[in-house]
Amino acid sequence: MADADNIVLEHLRHIRGALDDVRDDIREIKQRVGNLENQYANMSNRLDRMDVRIERIERRLDLTDA
């Protein structure tokens, strides 16, 4: 019976170690996704500003239909 208990404890320790690795991986993935979201938001803001600037340039050069 002691051997069975030791095997179970060994498996539980292995599972705990694997879960710790998964937690670390998920933490890293969350951080990287957060960084990507910030970069996307910055890029979106820049594109919006560029759109406004292009519209203003087109108006000044009388390139718009309006």
Side-chain angles (χ1 to χ4, degrees):
M1 188 66 174
D3 288 338
D5 289 342
N6 287 338
I7 291 173
V8 170
L9 288 174
E10 184 178 329
H11 282 290
L12 288 174
R13 286 186 189 107
H14 178 73
I15 291 170
R16 181 181 289 165
L19 279 175
D20 288 341
D21 291 343
V22 169
R23 279 190 195 120
D24 292 341
D25 289 346
I26 289 174
R27 189 175 294 122
E28 181 184 352
I29 290 169
K30 284 182 177 180
Q31 182 179 9
R32 294 176 76 175
V33 167
N35 289 338
L36 287 172
E37 288 173 338
N38 287 335
Q39 289 175 2
Y40 175 78
N42 289 336
M43 184 67 69
S44 180
N45 287 337
R46 289 181 67 190
L47 288 174
D48 288 343
R49 287 193 312 263
M50 286 178 65
D51 196 34
V52 169
R53 292 177 70 187
I54 289 171
E55 286 176 8
R56 189 175 68 216
I57 291 168
E58 287 176 339
R59 276 194 313 266
R60 288 177 130 188
L61 296 174
D62 291 327
L63 299 176
T64 59
D65 292 335

